Amino acid sequence: MRFLPWEDPQTVMASHLALGADGAVAVDESAPDTDQNGANLPDARPRTFAIPAGPLADALAAFTKATGVDVTISSDLTRGVVSGGVTGAHSIADALRAILEGSGLTFRFDSPTHASIDLHIQGQSVDVTDTATAVASSPKYTEPLRDTPQTVVVIPTKIIEEQAATSLRDALRNTPGITLTAGEGGTAPGDNLLIRGFSARNDVYVDGARDAGVVSRDTFNTESVEVAKGPSSVVTGRGATGGSVNIVSKAANLSDDVSGRFTGGSADSGRATFDINHRLGATSGLRLNAMWQDEGVPRRDDVRNRSWGVAPSLALGLGTPTEVTFGYEHLHQNNIPDYGLPATLPDGAVAEGLTVDDLDFSNFYGLVSRDHEKVNTDLGTVTIEHRFSAATSLRNLTRYGRNDVDRVVTPPRAATAASSADDPGFDNSGFQMRRTDTKYQHRTDGTLVNQTDLTLRRQTGDLAHVLVAGMELSRETQPSYAVTDTFANGRPPVTDLFHPDPDQPYVPSLARTGASSDGTANSTAFYAFDTIKTGQRWQADLGLRWDRVAVDYDNVNTDGSSADYTRTDRAFSGRAGLVYKPAEAGSIYAAYSTSFNPSFDGSFGLSLTDRSGSIADLPPERTHNIEVGTKWDLRPGLAFTTAIFHTEKVNAKTVDDEGATVLAGNQRVQGVEFGLSGALTRRWDVFTGLSLMDSKVIDSGNPSEVGQQLAYVPKTAFNLWSDYRLPIFSLTVGGGAQFTDGYFFNNTNASSSENAAAIQALTRYWLFSAMVNWDVTPHIALQVNGTNLSNARYVDRGYTGHFIPGPGRGVMIGPSFKF
């Protein structure tokens, strides 16, 4: 097992505990009552214990009675777990370790009289009780978040479940500085997001491995969501200009639990989830998560999200030196996607001064008989971790992932006289929308990744080091086939702007055009990190990564002609941070980090083009970031963070006077971010954040962009979620709010029409939500969620050609159970 207070042998030495050759902790009987790192460890002198084997909850209660050390642990982790107890002379720390032996749990002393117990998953510590000192899941982060010189926000399962958040997009609304978009140039709906003003569509990871593809990710198999902000290619590789998102999957443990939830409500929605974990033996467990849903979207007619998923995992050797975890996830989606409302209205409507404010936000301008989104996602992961000793461990992760996507989406485009010959039923005297600017996507995103990380803890003189060195090999493939409606059965008719009919009779004739593309990227990376501590106060974090990324892109035209583009990029990324700890409960830090973004990572994924002969020859864009901040545990379990940051892309893509794309732009985002998360009192929890951002186009090939605000970057964004456990009736009440003060859809900040200005105004909004959970019995609960309680009209995801309205007021209700 992994015990955070003893992971660093020098910390052990500082607390007068001697580490044996076999990794066991031996007691130095001459040890004083305090350690040199702030008296966090309890009395190290041996005492006599007589705690018999039995339920873990009983053993921990006896431990508290015998030592006076209060132990914080979720009741979910003790249910069904048996402890071997502890007898004889042991230090307090050794006694607690003996009680937890073989349980798959780890512990940490927050003070000499308080310990927190965490769940140990895939060799990594996931804190379930104390977000203040949680550790990010990546082995490249070796220190608690409080002592990590970067803004890293962990959105836990508790928040996701209380909000009934079913998608990654819903979960990400719990941290500021993230903007959702409808994609560029016809990119189909999916998890298109920006972090601190820069695209992060290619920067979504599952358990630390890149998950390519424009898909909408579900939360049914999500343990937590980690958002690392600021350039961080040194951790994740290419991209990560404004930050990255890592989804931590649920994994098998040593408990015996069965839980599930059923919900139904607005827009004829229904959803069911199940989570079953079975302890197979003293060191192994099996887990199965499953989900089914058929959900509409309040105030969005005809939009449907139908999906089902399963995610089994098997863990072997938990609590032993070698742990092996097998995980697999399959998600099938069969949706009617949404491209929302138009950014450009018919000429007659424009002449009368009409805007989207005059439209019913439930209008759907697609065709139910043609529009569809069929997605199959498969992720298979094997993680092996071997601990040679408390000072040395090796971890290897192998992942195969595949996203198969088949989409046809009808954007809302105005019918015009110029295209009337192609639009049956066109009448220039009416306000009509056409269905012939259809977007098609038929592609597969495949990934094969292998990561190896070696962690060493060493002492050199007065310096304690935590070294992480590793390599990553990956191969990404992205074959895509062009599809079109041949109109063999006639062309789709126009529809009325105010009263569209998605069910108009129409039989599509979809066929491949013969055009295709095939992108392949092979990557090799080597990296090293060193966390250096000296004394009680100072810590330095250093990281360096070298990436080689070779992409081959084949493009075949409809006439059979083809072109092959290749490019190889080699790039260094780095991070340097300095942490000062004025007290054990807080840190002050300054950090510098960089990232690189290759030219082939476009909005459609892997692609290269020869437009003016420029894109294929462009080196990566470069970004650097300076961040200064402070993090404090205001009390056990309550964390406060503040960060001031300055991020600059020094060679952003722009277009020169001849229309060629060149790296001559300069874009900057700077601001401050605040966060507060954890327990305000024993019954009252809070999770909130505020970001204030100032963005600017410093240089651009388009003079009208210079000096303007970057697209999709709100100056102010705020989120809040809080819950309170009432002392009566077994009730928990919660509520939340989200605010954004608006943003633009382009870097010129121009509104090309009165309608575009009206849409831009809808990016400024407040949203309110609420939750009530009633524990009917110790095993059954009933939860009610209300979203967008004020029924605000707002832009959920925007683009210059159209925008997707946010859901209207919604209510979901349903029971949950846990045994």
Side-chain angles (χ1 to χ4, degrees), residues 208-274:
R210 190 184 301 270
D211 183 34
V214 186
V215 296
S216 298
R217 297 166 178 87
D218 197 278
T219 61
F220 82 98
N221 191 39
T222 299
E223 188 72 43
S224 63
V225 177
E226 302 171 340
V227 183
K229 299 183 181 180
S232 51
S233 287
V234 68
V235 174
T236 60
R238 72 177 198 267
T241 302
S244 62
V245 174
N246 183 46
I247 302 168
V248 180
S249 302
K250 295 178 179 179
N253 55 68
L254 295 178
S255 64
D256 277 303
D257 292 319
V258 178
S259 63
R261 176 170 302 203
F262 303 91
T263 57
S266 300
D268 297 323
S269 296
R271 179 179 171 95
T273 58
F274 299 91

Side-chain angles (χ1 to χ4, degrees), residues 722-736:
S722 184
D723 67 73
Y724 186 80
R725 294 174 292 282
L726 297 175
I728 57 174
F729 305 125
S730 299
L731 286 176
T732 299
V733 295

Side-chain angles (χ1 to χ4, degrees), residues 663-686:
L663 298 183
N666 190 299
Q667 301 170 349
R668 180 262 292 157
V669 179
Q670 61 187 15
V672 60
E673 183 170 327
F674 304 92
L676 179 67
S677 61
L680 293 173
T681 70
R682 186 169 60 89
R683 295 183 178 274
W684 185 13
D685 296 339
V686 66

Side-chain angles (χ1 to χ4, degrees), residues 555-778:
N555 188 67
V556 179
N557 300 315
T558 54
D559 61 5
S561 61
S562 62
D564 183 15
Y565 309 108
T566 60
R567 178 170 180 84
T568 300
D569 290 310
R570 298 172 179 84
F572 280 100
S573 305
R575 180 180 71 191
L578 185 64
V579 180
Y580 173 69
K581 292 181 63 61
E584 180 63 26
S587 66
I588 301 171
Y589 68 89
Y592 175 82
S593 59
T594 67
S595 71
F596 74 101
N597 190 18
S599 58
F600 61 78
D601 264 342
S603 60
F604 290 97
L606 304 176
S607 63
L608 286 171
T609 179
D610 63 347
R611 184 187 176 203
S612 301
S614 60
I615 294 289
D617 298 326
L618 288 179
E621 296 175 300
R622 297 281 185 169
T623 306
H624 65 254
N625 178 72
I626 298 174
E627 181 170 311
V628 178
T630 184
K631 304 180 182 182
W632 288 87
D633 296 350
L634 303 182
R635 52 169 290 167
L638 181 64
F640 173 75
T641 64
T642 301
I644 302 172
F645 60 90
H646 176 101
T647 305
E648 187 170 355
K649 182 177 285 189
V650 296
N651 62 340
K653 292 176 185 175
T654 188
V655 179
D656 64 15
D657 294 337
E658 298 179 355
T661 301
V662 294
L663 298 183
N666 190 299
Q667 301 170 349
R668 180 262 292 157
V669 179
Q670 61 187 15
V672 60
E673 183 170 327
F674 304 92
L676 179 67
S677 61
L680 293 173
T681 70
R682 186 169 60 89
R683 295 183 178 274
W684 185 13
D685 296 339
V686 66
F687 199 95
T688 185
L690 170 68
S691 69
L692 307 173
M693 295 188 291
D694 175 64
S695 63
K696 186 176 182 179
V697 179
I698 299 174
D699 291 311
S700 172
N702 182 354
S704 62
E705 292 184 349
V706 176
Q708 300 300 315
Q709 182 177 330
L710 280 176
Y712 304 109
V713 183
K715 291 184 177 180
T716 304
F718 169 76
N719 67 274
L720 167 69
W721 180 260
S722 184
D723 67 73
Y724 186 80
R725 294 174 292 282
L726 297 175
I728 57 174
F729 305 125
S730 299
L731 286 176
T732 299
V733 295
Q738 297 168 7
F739 170 75
T740 176
D741 72 342
Y743 51 84
F744 298 96
F745 296 104
N746 54 61
N747 287 344
T748 64
N749 300 172
S751 295
S752 57
S753 66
E754 187 176 349
N755 188 56
I759 296 173
Q760 195 274 329
L762 293 171
T763 64
R764 180 184 178 90
Y765 56 84
W766 276 97
L767 299 178
F768 301 98
S769 57
M771 177 275 297
V772 177
N773 184 284
W774 174 35
D775 290 331
V776 182
T777 74

Side-chain angles (χ1 to χ4, degrees), residues 11 74 150 157 204 235 286 357 489 503 512 530 635 663:
T11 301
S74 167
Q150 181 182 5
T157 300
V204 178
V235 174
L286 180 66
D357 291 330
N489 302 314
D503 297 311
R512 292 186 179 182
D530 190 5
R635 52 169 290 167
L663 298 183

